[in-house]
Amino acid sequence: MAVSLKDIAKRAGVSQATVSNVVNGYRPVGEATRARVQEAIDELGYTPNLSARHLRRGRTGIIALAIPELNNPYFAELAAAAIRAATERGYTLLLDYTDGDRDKELLVADGFRAQIIDGLILSAVHLTRDDIAGRTSETPMVLVGEAIYHAPYDHVVIDNLAASREAMRHLIALGRRRIAFIGAHIEADRAPSLLRLRGYTEALAAAGLPFDPDLTVTTSGFGRGDGAAGMRALLTLAQPPDAVFAFNDLIALGAIRALHDHGLRVPDDVSVIGIDDVEEGRFSIPTLTTISPDKEMIGRLAVEKLLDRIEGRPAGPPAAFQPPFRLVVRESAPSTVPRQASSSSSSS
Amino acid sequence: MAVSLKDIAKRAGVSQATVSNVVNGYRPVGEATRARVQEAIDELGYTPNLSARHLRRGRTGIIALAIPELNNPYFAELAAAAIRAATERGYTLLLDYTDGDRDKELLVADGFRAQIIDGLILSAVHLTRDDIAGRTSETPMVLVGEAIYHAPYDHVVIDNLAASREAMRHLIALGRRRIAFIGAHIEADRAPSLLRLRGYTEALAAAGLPFDPDLTVTTSGFGRGDGAAGMRALLTLAQPPDAVFAFNDLIALGAIRALHDHGLRVPDDVSVIGIDDVEEGRFSIPTLTTISPDKEMIGRLAVEKLLDRIEGRPAGPPAAFQPPFRLVVRESAPSTVPRQASSSSSSS
DNA sequence: ATGAAAGCGCTAACAA
DNA sequence: TTGTTAGCGCTTTCAT
């Protein structure tokens, strides 16, 4: 059995309460006493038993970040930022991953592991508004991610409408006219792709370009394979697209691969743009033009807002927070309109 | 305050012990009693308080997996496997990431968060043998990853020597003669790249090929940028390589990008092979030939061995476990020898 | 400034 | 088969 408060108290000849106060500093402790206690702590090598502390305090010091998939580097980068932020604030961050499975998302939102965590940052994909609204768990929660719920929770997400418009403007400025969107989803009202899709159609309208339903491709997942399949479908069209706006970078990368397999060149024949700015896109061939959300800030903000709620700081009513983003132009959709076939120009 | 054992006991008119037994099943409980208790549990919505349980049992049900970086998809995939395995066994897996920082690795190994975890799976990069040997923490630990320590801990890792030899045999069978290795490390005796490097030299010797020190490139990290930088260095050689064996896929992918920037073609001018089989390499241009370790089994085995120690199952002395791997041939180093070998030193 | 003592919710040893 | 009871190690009144 490890060294306990009691051991220290005995050794230092004081009460447990005093030791506790030396450790936590809730009440002032006399200088001489403090020194004696500290010495005992050092000698015996005491570390507080967290389970006991948590039992007593009713909090665990653990918060969870639930993400759909670890394999998407976007989430890996987001998680890294959140872990940093939590650690700085003295919390431990537990990564829960839901596998893009609705039941698991429900389970997590509804208090699975609630006993172990003080709060939850949830990046849901499949949850419905009712799922969120009907949540019974009392555990503080902050929402992250593209799906919209209009639910009474803080929500951290970039301005997807503006981001999509900017991506589209870039493509349109390049002279592209048949721009496809890969990564739409079936769910009508709160799908992750909702705002990005709206940005897509609005940008088309603003540029006076027709909206062709054939150019909007639905995918089941969010990975490279989905992007490749979506692109292959587009390539069967009588009039294939001359540009692709992908829901995210992984889909964009998959689309590029499918174009390559089909003997088409990016960006000469087709321009491609994604969203996320994962590192992979800085080294891919071609490198990927993308919208880069401030992932560090997203993670940080989500943690902060959650801790505000947990620690009962005045935080006002639930609100939406929009970290910045910026357009990063790379080879897959460069600023200069592609002249002819000529590749292997490099610019990292 | 949430519903407690006591509440259930009162409601069902039984003792706390009985409720505990119907929840945990340590002792048999009468059918009628069980039903009554279960009903009370359902009605009141009881979930055990884990802090209390852990305080009492002396275990938390949490194990940690410490990895150098989350951004490397290899570790993300490994973590996913470990999380699955832990969850199945009723444990929660906490991801700790050390940032490839020696101090953080030390901290983790030496019992940071020891109060909260029952055991640790450590994938260290920078730790020395002495660091490991001098560990004071009592927390059970299992080692994962390429670095060798000959320390008294279970260690799960593929047979890196055999894997490297197989990768090299493939390159040599292609007719490659100047094969470079990117991703060596300074530390002499237990660096992650040690065995892979030895496999490289042994394979050269076995094929009667000369070992040219210029073709072995040291990198500080393990990412795409390191691979690209390493490749650029190789391309300044008077006689650049005609093939690259990379320490891992990310380095290989970075090397491919650098070759592309240099106007060289993969695999026509230079063949490239990596290790890890990350998903990215199945969609990259060109797709990546690689050694695919069984990540699912690595994660699973590490968790199992750790739980054996934690739960005191007879596990014998610490041992090494070698999950299988296989060569996956893709475009960057196809089986058929490239035809028009134009691997001159034309563009440099 | 310090101490004594009462639990937080649970499990396990001992009784019945 | 079930109940009683004693803590696990800590924080926190209430006294002093």
Side-chain angles (χ1 to χ4, degrees):
Chain A
M1 213 69 310
V3 187
S4 77
L5 253 199
K6 211 203 276 188
D7 300 328
I8 304 297
K10 201 178 297 173
R11 170 67 153 253
V14 297
S15 76
Q16 294 190 38
T18 300
V19 180
S20 176
N21 282 319
V22 146
V23 172
N24 297 295
Y26 295 133
R27 296 194 308 195
V29 175
E31 206 32 73
T33 326
R34 144 163 283 115
R36 212 140 33 83
V37 170
Q38 191 55 56
E39 195 181 337
I41 288 179
D42 293 343
E43 270 175 32
L44 270 47
Y46 167 74
T47 41
N49 178 315
L50 296 186
S51 291
R53 174 176 286 176
H54 298 154
L55 173 58
R56 191 54 234 237
R57 288 219 260 237
R59 286 212 230 113
T60 63
I62 302 180
I63 59 179
L65 168 63
I67 54 179
E69 34 181 355
L70 218 42
N71 290 344
N72 186 329
Y74 172 75
F75 289 112
E77 293 177 27
L78 176 65
I83 289 177
R84 272 191 295 274
T87 305
E88 277 171 23
R89 308 282 230 94
Y91 278 74
T92 295
L93 191 139
L94 189 69
L95 222 48
D96 240 329
Y97 85 123
T98 53
D99 237 346
D101 180 38
R102 178 163 174 276
D103 289 340
K104 285 199 194 159
E105 289 187 347
L106 250 177
L107 213 63
V108 168
D110 236 338
F112 176 61
R113 270 181 198 149
Q115 291 289 354
I116 225 182
I117 63 173
D118 295 341
L120 171 68
I121 300 171
L122 176 62
S123 175
V125 172
H126 292 293
L127 253 33
T128 68
R129 191 176 302 170
D130 289 348
D131 289 336
I132 298 276
R135 187 174 115 104
T136 61
S137 171
E138 303 274 87
T139 311
M141 178 169 85
V142 166
L143 264 15
V144 152
E146 326 316 327
I148 329 278
Y149 296 104
H150 301 291
Y153 294 99
D154 288 325
H155 189 171
V156 179
V157 63
I158 63 167
D159 184 343
N160 272 298
L161 203 52
S164 305
R165 282 206 216 96
E166 180 156 350
M168 287 296 289
R169 266 202 304 274
H170 180 71
L171 257 20
I172 292 168
L174 256 38
R176 297 310 191 180
R177 288 298 171 263
R178 285 189 59 74
I179 306 174
F181 181 88
I182 306 183
H185 303 101
I186 320 257
E187 303 93 335
D189 56 342
R190 49 85 224 160
S193 57
L194 180 64
L195 285 179
R196 293 181 183 178
L197 195 50
R198 190 186 299 163
Y200 165 75
T201 53
E202 286 187 10
L204 286 178
L209 292 174
F211 170 75
D212 180 348
D214 285 347
L215 292 181
T216 297
V217 179
T218 299
T219 59
S220 55
F222 306 89
R224 299 175 187 86
D226 299 292
M231 192 68 238
R232 280 195 296 271
L234 285 168
L235 289 173
T236 64
L237 257 37
Q239 288 190 52
D242 58 10
V244 170
F245 172 34
F247 171 78
N248 69 12
D249 279 3
L250 251 39
I251 289 178
L253 261 355
I256 289 177
R257 177 67 216 189
L259 284 163
H260 177 84
D261 289 341
H262 210 261
L264 291 170
R265 313 193 61 176
V266 176
D268 309 76
D269 301 315
V270 181
S271 308
V272 177
I273 190 168
I275 298 190
D276 277 355
D277 191 18
V278 300
E279 195 195 72
E280 182 176 348
R282 297 207 274 279
F283 290 85
S284 57
I285 300 175
T287 53
L288 184 64
T289 296
T290 189
I291 296 285
S292 178
D294 190 334
K295 280 162 281 195
E296 187 69 25
M297 189 179 289
I298 296 176
R300 204 160 270 293
L301 219 46
V303 167
E304 254 170 48
K305 293 305 159 191
L306 183 63
L307 296 192
D308 282 351
R309 302 280 174 198
I310 291 175
E311 296 173 357
R313 265 188 293 284
F321 302 89
Q322 302 194 318
F325 63 86
R326 62 197 175 79
L327 173 69
V328 178
V329 178
R330 301 206 193 93
E331 295 168 356
S332 73
S335 280
T336 53
V337 181
R339 202 56 50 107
Q340 267 201 321
S342 124
S343 70
S344 78
S345 55
S346 65
S347 56
S348 57
Chain B
M1 218 59 318
V3 187
S4 76
L5 254 198
K6 211 204 273 185
D7 300 326
I8 303 297
K10 202 178 299 174
R11 170 69 152 252
V14 298
S15 76
Q16 293 191 38
T18 301
V19 180
S20 175
N21 281 320
V22 55
V23 172
N24 297 296
Y26 294 134
R27 296 195 305 196
V29 176
E31 204 34 69
T33 325
R34 147 165 280 116
R36 214 142 29 88
V37 170
Q38 190 56 55
E39 196 179 335
I41 289 179
D42 293 343
E43 271 175 34
L44 271 47
Y46 167 76
T47 41
N49 178 315
L50 296 186
S51 292
R53 173 178 287 175
H54 298 154
L55 173 57
R56 187 58 236 236
R57 291 203 213 177
R59 287 214 227 110
T60 63
I62 302 179
I63 59 178
L65 168 63
I67 54 177
E69 35 181 354
L70 218 42
N71 290 342
N72 187 329
Y74 172 76
F75 289 112
E77 293 177 26
L78 177 64
I83 289 177
R84 272 191 293 275
T87 304
E88 276 171 24
R89 307 282 229 96
Y91 278 74
T92 295
L93 190 139
L94 189 70
L95 222 48
D96 241 327
Y97 85 123
T98 53
D99 238 346
D101 181 39
R102 178 164 175 275
D103 289 338
K104 286 198 194 160
E105 289 186 345
L106 250 177
L107 213 61
V108 167
D110 237 337
F112 176 59
R113 272 183 196 145
Q115 289 287 353
I116 227 183
I117 62 172
D118 295 340
L120 170 69
I121 301 171
L122 176 63
S123 176
V125 172
H126 292 293
L127 253 35
T128 67
R129 190 176 306 172
D130 289 346
D131 290 335
I132 297 276
R135 187 174 114 104
T136 60
S137 170
E138 302 275 270
T139 312
M141 180 171 82
V142 166
L143 264 17
V144 153
E146 328 316 328
I148 327 277
Y149 297 104
H150 301 291
Y153 294 100
D154 288 327
H155 190 174
V156 179
V157 62
I158 62 167
D159 183 343
N160 272 298
L161 202 54
S164 305
R165 283 207 215 96
E166 181 156 349
M168 287 296 290
R169 265 202 306 272
H170 179 70
L171 257 21
I172 292 168
L174 255 37
R176 297 311 191 179
R177 288 297 170 266
R178 286 189 58 75
I179 305 174
F181 180 88
I182 306 183
H185 302 102
I186 321 258
E187 304 91 335
D189 56 342
R190 49 87 222 161
S193 57
L194 180 65
L195 285 179
R196 293 181 184 178
L197 195 51
R198 190 185 302 161
Y200 165 77
T201 53
E202 286 186 11
L204 285 178
L209 292 174
F211 169 76
D212 179 349
D214 286 346
L215 292 181
T216 296
V217 179
T218 299
T219 59
S220 55
F222 306 90
R224 300 174 186 88
D226 299 292
M231 192 68 237
R232 280 194 296 269
L234 285 168
L235 289 173
T236 65
L237 257 37
Q239 287 190 55
D242 58 10
V244 171
F245 171 34
F247 171 75
N248 69 12
D249 280 3
L250 251 38
I251 289 177
L253 260 354
I256 289 178
R257 178 68 217 190
L259 284 163
H260 176 84
D261 289 341
H262 212 260
L264 290 170
R265 314 195 59 177
V266 177
D268 308 75
D269 300 316
V270 181
S271 308
V272 176
I273 190 168
I275 299 190
D276 276 356
D277 191 18
V278 300
E279 195 197 70
E280 183 175 348
R282 297 207 275 279
F283 289 85
S284 58
I285 300 175
T287 52
L288 185 65
T289 295
T290 189
I291 295 286
S292 178
D294 190 333
K295 280 163 282 193
E296 187 68 27
M297 188 177 290
I298 295 176
R300 205 160 270 293
L301 218 48
V303 167
E304 253 170 49
K305 292 303 159 196
L306 183 61
L307 296 192
D308 282 352
R309 301 283 174 196
I310 291 175
E311 296 173 357
R313 266 187 292 282
F321 302 89
Q322 302 193 320
F325 64 85
R326 63 199 174 78
L327 173 69
V328 177
V329 178
R330 300 206 193 93
E331 294 168 356
S332 73
S335 281
T336 52
V337 182
R339 204 56 51 110
Q340 27 141 49
S342 63
S343 65
S344 61
S345 50
S346 57
S347 52
S348 74

